[in-house]
Amino acid sequence: AAELGLGDIAQVSTDFAGVTTSARRAVGSMRFVVMGAGAIGCIYGSKLALKGHKVVYVDGWEKACDTINSTGGVFIPSNQEKGKYQLAPGSAIHRRLGEEPVEQSELPFDAVDVIFLAVKSFDTGPAMELLTNLIGPETYVMTIQNGLGNPEVIVDFGVPREHIIYGCTMVASTLEGPGRVGKATYGQVSATSCYVRKGEPDHKVRSIVKALKDTGLNIQLDPAVDAMVFKKLAVNASLNTLCAIHNCTIGAISSRHWPLVAAMIGEVLDVGNELGYGLDKAAIVGGLEKAMNSPVYARHYPSMAQDRRAGRKLEIGSIIVAVVDKAREIGVSVPSLEAGLIQIRVTSDLVENGL
């Protein structure tokens, strides 16, 4: 994969402060292809569709695609009526990874403005291969996937660095069924435009950010997105990993074994600080302890725990494997993460062998 240095990217993240004035220019309807009709893909796609943007989902889950096409979209909990759902318009193309690429003629619009990747990081390459014929000169690719290394994969498919919007999301949710999103917990979202060494992201990046902002997500341009990525990585390498190993909710671990969680989080932050990200360990660990023990997160099964329960492949390569590999490379001691890596590899092997 091509190397993406930190100096090569101008970054975007979300916070509660709102976008800059120049990013508030009105934008018309945009054309999104959402790769992945799971919880995150359906949340973002449906919120965009409810604001008038055109959304097509691509997924290998045939039942989800059939449901979306038969109902005319994705059902999402209503903001107005508790227990009620609203239909966010959209359509879907059923295509498994490794099959023939999706053709532009299969879409209800003649060009794609944004490809939104909502697949596991180990599927980034196959997903880009599936969508390669949809990448035009004005197509941007957005990834808020877990872990490290996704932008480097995207670059290898001929996407200019200035057309890659990169970051992470703190949204937590599950699907209640194919094409039906459960209640979501919205946190900060981060993204990065890999477009210039220094300076401002271009007008289209600002338009994409504004489109997301207008859905109610808290998003803004921010040169420090890598700090947010490592903060999310700290959660995934610790709690997500431990919950998958022990097949439990966040609260079951965080309320009883926080010293272990804190040690793992601290080691991830040590790696980030060695890379120059300026992470405040005490503040981040304290903030995460409060957040992860709150009722809204405590009852939640994080993504790898959900995958274990469903017998799906675990996303360890770009998360705990990546951070341990980076720690070894730069000489940072991470004993708690090393121990967790041994255990999650056993869990992953059992899951992949149906045990």
Side-chain angles (χ1 to χ4, degrees):
E3 287 292 328
L4 284 184
L6 295 178
D8 292 333
I9 53 181
Q11 292 142 327
V12 183
S13 86
T14 60
D15 208 327
F16 298 101
V19 295
T20 60
T21 301
S22 59
R24 292 182 180 277
R25 288 174 282 189
V27 295
S29 174
M30 301 182 78
R31 299 156 297 187
F32 286 80
V33 168
V34 177
M35 182 66 219
I40 292 297
C42 283
I43 287 171
Y44 281 83
S46 60
K47 288 175 78 68
L48 287 161
L50 288 172
K51 287 296 181 180
H53 301 285
K54 297 179 175 66
V55 178
V56 173
Y57 302 88
V58 178
D59 201 285
W61 186 13
E62 187 172 11
K63 189 172 183 180
C65 294
D66 289 346
T67 300
I68 291 169
N69 287 328
S70 63
T71 61
V74 170
F75 285 98
I76 187 170
S78 172
N79 292 327
Q80 285 74 41
E81 298 181 74
K82 188 176 181 179
K84 301 290 185 179
Y85 288 80
Q86 55 187 328
L87 181 66
S91 60
I93 296 172
H94 175 236
R95 194 77 102 254
R96 294 183 179 88
L97 298 176
E99 294 183 344
E100 288 298 311
V102 177
E103 298 295 339
Q104 185 67 54
S105 60
E106 298 179 71
L107 302 178
F109 36 77
D110 58 5
V112 178
D113 291 308
V114 185
I115 291 172
F116 186 95
L117 294 179
V119 295
K120 302 295 185 184
S121 55
F122 50 70
D123 284 333
T124 300
M128 289 299 297
E129 187 70 42
L130 198 65
L131 304 180
T132 188
N133 291 342
L134 306 182
I135 301 170
E138 296 301 320
T139 302
Y140 286 59
V141 178
M142 183 169 188
T143 166
I144 53 170
Q145 298 159 278
N146 285 333
L148 304 176
N150 291 298
E152 289 83 350
V153 176
I154 296 167
V155 162
D156 284 346
F157 285 85
V159 180
R161 296 185 181 197
E162 62 269 24
H163 288 189
I164 299 173
I165 304 173
Y166 153 72
C168 70
T169 179
M170 298 300 285
V171 174
S173 185
T174 57
L175 284 180
E176 293 185 349
R180 182 178 292 267
V181 177
K183 184 178 180 181
T185 301
Y186 296 100
Q188 291 179 320
V189 183
S190 300
T192 297
S193 169
C194 306
Y195 112 90
V196 287
R197 295 182 185 278
K198 294 181 181 179
E200 292 296 316
D202 67 20
H203 175 64
K204 188 159 184 179
V205 170
R206 293 180 178 277
S207 296
I208 295 166
V209 170
K210 185 180 188 305
L212 289 164
K213 175 71 176 178
D214 288 345
T215 70
L217 293 168
N218 298 303
I219 186 166
Q220 69 177 29
L221 305 177
D222 185 352
V225 70
D226 290 286
M228 177 68 81
V229 170
F230 253 78
K231 182 178 176 181
K232 174 70 177 292
L233 183 63
V235 174
N236 278 323
S238 59
L239 279 167
N240 204 348
T241 297
L242 291 170
C243 290
I245 291 168
H246 298 289
N247 192 21
C248 65
T249 62
I250 286 174
I253 295 291
S254 62
S255 65
R256 295 173 175 84
H257 303 287
W258 186 256
L260 172 59
V261 176
M264 296 176 77
I265 291 172
E267 289 172 7
V268 176
L269 300 180
D270 286 342
V271 174
N273 283 331
E274 186 66 22
L275 294 171
Y277 299 150
L279 300 158
D280 185 334
K281 281 179 64 174
I284 291 172
V285 172
L288 287 174
E289 181 179 16
K290 182 178 180 180
M292 296 303 150
N293 282 297
S294 67
V296 74
Y297 280 108
R299 296 189 295 266
H300 181 66
Y301 285 91
S303 61
M304 281 200 288
Q306 292 181 42
D307 290 338
R308 175 184 174 170
R309 293 164 70 84
R312 296 188 294 258
K313 182 178 178 179
L314 304 187
E315 189 179 22
I316 65 174
S318 67
I319 298 175
I320 190 167
V321 172
V323 73
V324 169
D325 284 349
K326 181 58 68 173
R328 292 169 179 168
E329 177 187 331
I330 62 178
V332 175
S333 177
V334 289
S336 299
L337 291 173
E338 294 271 12
L341 177 56
I342 293 170
Q343 294 178 69
I344 194 64
R345 278 182 163 151
V346 172
T347 302
S348 180
D349 177 71
L350 293 173
V351 170
E352 290 190 35
N353 285 281
L355 301 173

PDB file of all heavy atoms in Angstrom, residues 233-248:
ATOM      1  N   LEU A 233      -9.367   4.269  18.637  1.00  0.00           N
ATOM      2  CA  LEU A 233      -8.566   3.050  18.598  1.00  0.00           C
ATOM      3  C   LEU A 233      -8.332   2.516  20.011  1.00  0.00           C
ATOM      4  O   LEU A 233      -8.352   1.298  20.236  1.00  0.00           O
ATOM      5  CB  LEU A 233      -7.232   3.335  17.910  1.00  0.00           C
ATOM      6  CG  LEU A 233      -6.279   2.159  17.698  1.00  0.00           C
ATOM      7  CD1 LEU A 233      -6.909   1.117  16.781  1.00  0.00           C
ATOM      8  CD2 LEU A 233      -4.951   2.648  17.120  1.00  0.00           C
ATOM      9  N   ALA A 234      -8.149   3.426  20.972  1.00  0.00           N
ATOM     10  CA  ALA A 234      -7.947   3.009  22.366  1.00  0.00           C
ATOM     11  C   ALA A 234      -9.169   2.273  22.903  1.00  0.00           C
ATOM     12  O   ALA A 234      -9.045   1.276  23.620  1.00  0.00           O
ATOM     13  CB  ALA A 234      -7.635   4.238  23.229  1.00  0.00           C
ATOM     14  N   VAL A 235     -10.376   2.754  22.543  1.00  0.00           N
ATOM     15  CA  VAL A 235     -11.606   2.082  22.974  1.00  0.00           C
ATOM     16  C   VAL A 235     -11.709   0.705  22.330  1.00  0.00           C
ATOM     17  O   VAL A 235     -12.018  -0.294  22.987  1.00  0.00           O
ATOM     18  CB  VAL A 235     -12.840   2.941  22.628  1.00  0.00           C
ATOM     19  CG1 VAL A 235     -14.126   2.178  22.949  1.00  0.00           C
ATOM     20  CG2 VAL A 235     -12.812   4.257  23.387  1.00  0.00           C
ATOM     21  N   ASN A 236     -11.440   0.657  21.028  1.00  0.00           N
ATOM     22  CA  ASN A 236     -11.583  -0.610  20.308  1.00  0.00           C
ATOM     23  C   ASN A 236     -10.536  -1.648  20.722  1.00  0.00           C
ATOM     24  O   ASN A 236     -10.841  -2.837  20.843  1.00  0.00           O
ATOM     25  CB  ASN A 236     -11.501  -0.362  18.799  1.00  0.00           C
ATOM     26  CG  ASN A 236     -12.816   0.101  18.230  1.00  0.00           C
ATOM     27  OD1 ASN A 236     -13.879  -0.348  18.645  1.00  0.00           O
ATOM     28  ND2 ASN A 236     -12.756   1.020  17.279  1.00  0.00           N
ATOM     29  N   ALA A 237      -9.294  -1.202  20.934  1.00  0.00           N
ATOM     30  CA  ALA A 237      -8.236  -2.152  21.297  1.00  0.00           C
ATOM     31  C   ALA A 237      -8.403  -2.667  22.719  1.00  0.00           C
ATOM     32  O   ALA A 237      -7.870  -3.726  23.063  1.00  0.00           O
ATOM     33  CB  ALA A 237      -6.869  -1.497  21.134  1.00  0.00           C
ATOM     34  N   SER A 238      -9.156  -1.951  23.525  1.00  0.00           N
ATOM     35  CA  SER A 238      -9.380  -2.377  24.913  1.00  0.00           C
ATOM     36  C   SER A 238     -10.768  -2.979  25.079  1.00  0.00           C
ATOM     37  O   SER A 238     -10.931  -4.209  25.084  1.00  0.00           O
ATOM     38  CB  SER A 238      -9.187  -1.188  25.863  1.00  0.00           C
ATOM     39  OG  SER A 238     -10.088  -0.122  25.548  1.00  0.00           O
ATOM     40  N   LEU A 239     -11.793  -2.140  25.190  1.00  0.00           N
ATOM     41  CA  LEU A 239     -13.139  -2.629  25.496  1.00  0.00           C
ATOM     42  C   LEU A 239     -13.727  -3.507  24.396  1.00  0.00           C
ATOM     43  O   LEU A 239     -14.326  -4.550  24.676  1.00  0.00           O
ATOM     44  CB  LEU A 239     -14.067  -1.445  25.771  1.00  0.00           C
ATOM     45  CG  LEU A 239     -13.962  -0.862  27.183  1.00  0.00           C
ATOM     46  CD1 LEU A 239     -14.658   0.481  27.263  1.00  0.00           C
ATOM     47  CD2 LEU A 239     -14.532  -1.828  28.205  1.00  0.00           C
ATOM     48  N   ASN A 240     -13.566  -3.099  23.149  1.00  0.00           N
ATOM     49  CA  ASN A 240     -14.114  -3.906  22.055  1.00  0.00           C
ATOM     50  C   ASN A 240     -13.463  -5.288  22.057  1.00  0.00           C
ATOM     51  O   ASN A 240     -14.125  -6.324  21.905  1.00  0.00           O
ATOM     52  CB  ASN A 240     -13.879  -3.197  20.723  1.00  0.00           C
ATOM     53  CG  ASN A 240     -14.869  -3.623  19.641  1.00  0.00           C
ATOM     54  OD1 ASN A 240     -15.597  -4.597  19.787  1.00  0.00           O
ATOM     55  ND2 ASN A 240     -14.882  -2.876  18.555  1.00  0.00           N
ATOM     56  N   THR A 241     -12.148  -5.305  22.257  1.00  0.00           N
ATOM     57  CA  THR A 241     -11.414  -6.570  22.302  1.00  0.00           C
ATOM     58  C   THR A 241     -11.848  -7.433  23.483  1.00  0.00           C
ATOM     59  O   THR A 241     -12.151  -8.624  23.328  1.00  0.00           O
ATOM     60  CB  THR A 241      -9.907  -6.293  22.381  1.00  0.00           C
ATOM     61  OG1 THR A 241      -9.488  -5.600  21.193  1.00  0.00           O
ATOM     62  CG2 THR A 241      -9.113  -7.585  22.513  1.00  0.00           C
ATOM     63  N   LEU A 242     -11.895  -6.847  24.676  1.00  0.00           N
ATOM     64  CA  LEU A 242     -12.253  -7.602  25.875  1.00  0.00           C
ATOM     65  C   LEU A 242     -13.692  -8.112  25.819  1.00  0.00           C
ATOM     66  O   LEU A 242     -13.989  -9.235  26.246  1.00  0.00           O
ATOM     67  CB  LEU A 242     -12.047  -6.739  27.120  1.00  0.00           C
ATOM     68  CG  LEU A 242     -10.590  -6.404  27.465  1.00  0.00           C
ATOM     69  CD1 LEU A 242     -10.524  -5.348  28.549  1.00  0.00           C
ATOM     70  CD2 LEU A 242      -9.829  -7.661  27.886  1.00  0.00           C
ATOM     71  N   CYS A 243     -14.611  -7.299  25.294  1.00  0.00           N
ATOM     72  CA  CYS A 243     -16.010  -7.724  25.181  1.00  0.00           C
ATOM     73  C   CYS A 243     -16.159  -8.876  24.194  1.00  0.00           C
ATOM     74  O   CYS A 243     -16.995  -9.770  24.390  1.00  0.00           O
ATOM     75  CB  CYS A 243     -16.898  -6.555  24.772  1.00  0.00           C
ATOM     76  SG  CYS A 243     -17.104  -5.308  26.058  1.00  0.00           S
ATOM     77  N   ALA A 244     -15.352  -8.868  23.140  1.00  0.00           N
ATOM     78  CA  ALA A 244     -15.385  -9.985  22.194  1.00  0.00           C
ATOM     79  C   ALA A 244     -14.823 -11.252  22.829  1.00  0.00           C
ATOM     80  O   ALA A 244     -15.372 -12.349  22.659  1.00  0.00           O
ATOM     81  CB  ALA A 244     -14.610  -9.628  20.926  1.00  0.00           C
ATOM     82  N   ILE A 245     -13.730 -11.108  23.563  1.00  0.00           N
ATOM     83  CA  ILE A 245     -13.124 -12.272  24.222  1.00  0.00           C
ATOM     84  C   ILE A 245     -14.112 -12.916  25.185  1.00  0.00           C
ATOM     85  O   ILE A 245     -14.261 -14.146  25.224  1.00  0.00           O
ATOM     86  CB  ILE A 245     -11.840 -11.860  24.975  1.00  0.00           C
ATOM     87  CG1 ILE A 245     -10.732 -11.467  23.978  1.00  0.00           C
ATOM     88  CG2 ILE A 245     -11.349 -12.991  25.879  1.00  0.00           C
ATOM     89  CD1 ILE A 245      -9.540 -10.781  24.626  1.00  0.00           C
ATOM     90  N   HIS A 246     -14.805 -12.078  25.961  1.00  0.00           N
ATOM     91  CA  HIS A 246     -15.657 -12.592  27.032  1.00  0.00           C
ATOM     92  C   HIS A 246     -17.145 -12.606  26.678  1.00  0.00           C
ATOM     93  O   HIS A 246     -17.975 -12.963  27.519  1.00  0.00           O
ATOM     94  CB  HIS A 246     -15.416 -11.778  28.303  1.00  0.00           C
ATOM     95  CG  HIS A 246     -14.009 -11.870  28.802  1.00  0.00           C
ATOM     96  ND1 HIS A 246     -13.501 -13.019  29.381  1.00  0.00           N
ATOM     97  CD2 HIS A 246     -12.979 -10.984  28.764  1.00  0.00           C
ATOM     98  CE1 HIS A 246     -12.235 -12.824  29.697  1.00  0.00           C
ATOM     99  NE2 HIS A 246     -11.889 -11.604  29.333  1.00  0.00           N
ATOM    100  N   ASN A 247     -17.474 -12.215  25.431  1.00  0.00           N
ATOM    101  CA  ASN A 247     -18.853 -12.281  24.941  1.00  0.00           C
ATOM    102  C   ASN A 247     -19.806 -11.537  25.873  1.00  0.00           C
ATOM    103  O   ASN A 247     -20.790 -12.089  26.364  1.00  0.00           O
ATOM    104  CB  ASN A 247     -19.295 -13.741  24.791  1.00  0.00           C
ATOM    105  CG  ASN A 247     -20.600 -13.869  24.027  1.00  0.00           C
ATOM    106  OD1 ASN A 247     -20.994 -12.973  23.285  1.00  0.00           O
ATOM    107  ND2 ASN A 247     -21.293 -14.987  24.207  1.00  0.00           N
ATOM    108  N   CYS A 248     -19.519 -10.243  26.085  1.00  0.00           N
ATOM    109  CA  CYS A 248     -20.312  -9.480  27.043  1.00  0.00           C
ATOM    110  C   CYS A 248     -20.459  -8.024  26.616  1.00  0.00           C
ATOM    111  O   CYS A 248     -19.868  -7.585  25.631  1.00  0.00           O
ATOM    112  CB  CYS A 248     -19.670  -9.555  28.430  1.00  0.00           C
ATOM    113  SG  CYS A 248     -18.044  -8.773  28.514  1.00  0.00           S
TER     114      CYS A 248
END
